[in-house]
Amino acid sequence: VTTTYFVSQTIDGCESSRVAVPMTVEAVLSAPVSLVSQLYCNVITIADLDATASVGGTIGWFDSLTSTTPLSSTQNVVTGTYYVAQFNGACWSAMTTVQVTVGSVPSAPNNAALQLCGSYTLGQLSLGQPNNATLNWYATQTSVATLPLTTNAVTGVYYVSQSIGGCESARVMINITSTAALGLPTAVAQTFCNSATVADLVAQGVSGATINWYNAANALNPLTPTTVLVTGTYYAEQAMNGCVSARIAISVQVSSSAAPVINSFNFCGSGLVSDLVIPAPTGTTYKWYNSPSNPAELAPNTALVTGGYYVSRVQGGCESARGMV
């Protein structure tokens, strides 16, 4: 116990006089309270490490369990294992093992304005951040709590940072504009006689929308209004306020007005107009006349005589010029 003791020494049975020896017994403090895993961003020193001493105790950090000399408070900390104990003026306590990670503060995320088409949550948004980064959304520049990632992204101003390895960047302000998604434009199959351009195509979108036409479902560039149409499938989308709808396929037929060229017919004995059969694709028919200008079409049961007849081709409601047979 703490008191004064007296000690002598004995040699060959003879004992010396006694001398006084003051004795102090100190109570050993418990190990200091510290998080066993600590994360820091950018350069820190030993003085920045976190541990709490008991009353009368002083914190000391060590680089090994067997070290007896505490590290300097100005020494830079690197990622690794450190040990902390507390000193009561006479004795060191047991050590607490602490894993320390030192990361770097990432750069702020891209703050380009976002144009959203349709309904999105904050968790669905991307700012081109690295794969290992997490976006943190805030209502203000100084908000402590992040917005839940399930929050609907509506038109307004937001503040966002990115975290990598537990280290968070500065916040940047981002303007978000949210617009309702555009549905498909409406259009029907269209037929043109002789020739037409993209400007002649018709489709309806919402009020104020622009209709863009393409020659393929995945084409990148829209067709110019002066592009000449050919028979086939075209694709229309509507665009407004930076939002673009999906594309709808439209069947387009461009019928030639050129007169058909038909080989001569030969009949033995007799024949009717209905016997003037010309192979034709589906949707194409022929009309027969007895002159190049007579508006009256010949009836199918009209008896044929040797001579010249006139035939036109009808496609999609378009009638060509007449050719003589």
Side-chain angles (χ1 to χ4, degrees):
V1 294
T2 297
T3 188
T4 299
Y5 289 86
F6 297 85
V7 61
S8 66
Q9 60 179 341
T10 299
I11 300 176
D12 294 332
C14 296
E15 183 178 2
S16 72
S17 59
R18 300 177 182 178
V19 294
V21 180
M23 182 75 69
T24 302
V25 178
E26 296 283 355
V28 177
L29 296 175
S30 59
V33 177
S34 175
L35 294 173
V36 296
S37 180
Q38 299 184 25
L39 169 67
Y40 298 90
C41 302
N42 278 351
V43 178
I44 65 164
T45 64
I46 291 296
D48 297 312
L49 295 176
D50 184 23
T52 302
S54 303
V55 175
T58 302
I59 292 296
W61 290 89
F62 301 84
D63 56 11
S64 74
L65 282 171
T66 57
S67 177
T68 57
T69 304
L71 300 170
S72 168
S73 62
T74 60
Q75 179 175 320
N76 286 341
V77 176
V78 296
T79 297
T81 304
Y82 290 82
Y83 305 88
V84 61
Q86 56 180 331
F87 187 62
N88 63 3
C91 302
W92 284 99
S93 71
M95 293 183 178
T96 299
T97 302
V98 179
Q99 299 294 331
V100 177
T101 300
V102 181
S104 58
V105 176
S107 59
N110 176 20
N111 68 335
L114 289 181
Q115 170 71 53
L116 304 180
C117 303
S119 178
Y120 291 87
T121 64
L122 295 178
Q124 293 174 305
L125 302 183
S126 173
L127 302 177
Q129 69 274 15
N131 291 334
N132 61 338
T134 300
L135 295 181
N136 310 300
W137 294 89
Y138 299 89
T140 70
Q141 180 68 56
T142 56
S143 297
V144 175
T146 59
L147 295 171
L149 294 181
T150 54
T151 302
N152 288 330
V154 297
T155 297
V157 175
Y158 295 81
Y159 295 83
V160 62
S161 66
Q162 60 180 341
S163 296
I164 299 177
C167 293
E168 185 174 2
S169 73
R171 299 178 190 179
V172 293
M173 184 181 74
I174 291 183
N175 284 295
I176 292 180
T177 302
S178 179
T179 304
L182 292 173
L184 289 172
T186 57
V188 296
Q190 299 173 44
T191 299
F192 299 94
C193 301
N194 196 23
S195 66
T197 65
V198 167
D200 297 312
L201 292 171
V202 177
Q204 289 76 42
V206 297
S207 177
T210 299
I211 303 296
N212 299 317
W213 291 93
Y214 299 85
N215 58 6
N218 57 355
L220 297 179
N221 299 315
L223 299 171
T224 63
T226 57
T227 300
V228 176
L229 298 176
V230 297
T231 297
T233 302
Y234 289 81
Y235 299 84
E237 68 181 18
Q238 59 177 326
M240 187 173 66
N241 297 328
C243 294
V244 178
S245 73
R247 298 177 187 177
I248 184 174
I250 309 297
S251 177
V252 173
Q253 180 172 304
V254 181
S255 298
S256 173
S257 62
V261 177
I262 308 297
N263 292 330
S264 299
F265 286 88
N266 291 293
F267 295 95
C268 298
S270 65
L272 301 175
V273 167
S274 59
D275 297 320
L276 299 172
V277 177
I278 303 171
T282 301
T284 299
T285 59
Y286 290 89
K287 291 184 177 182
W288 290 92
Y289 301 88
N290 60 8
S291 80
S293 59
N294 189 342
E297 179 185 359
L298 293 175
N301 61 355
T302 301
L304 296 174
V305 296
T306 297
Y309 289 82
Y310 295 85
V311 63
S312 66
R313 179 182 56 254
V314 179
Q315 286 181 311
C318 297
E319 185 173 359
S320 73
R322 300 175 188 180
M324 191 185 76
V325 182

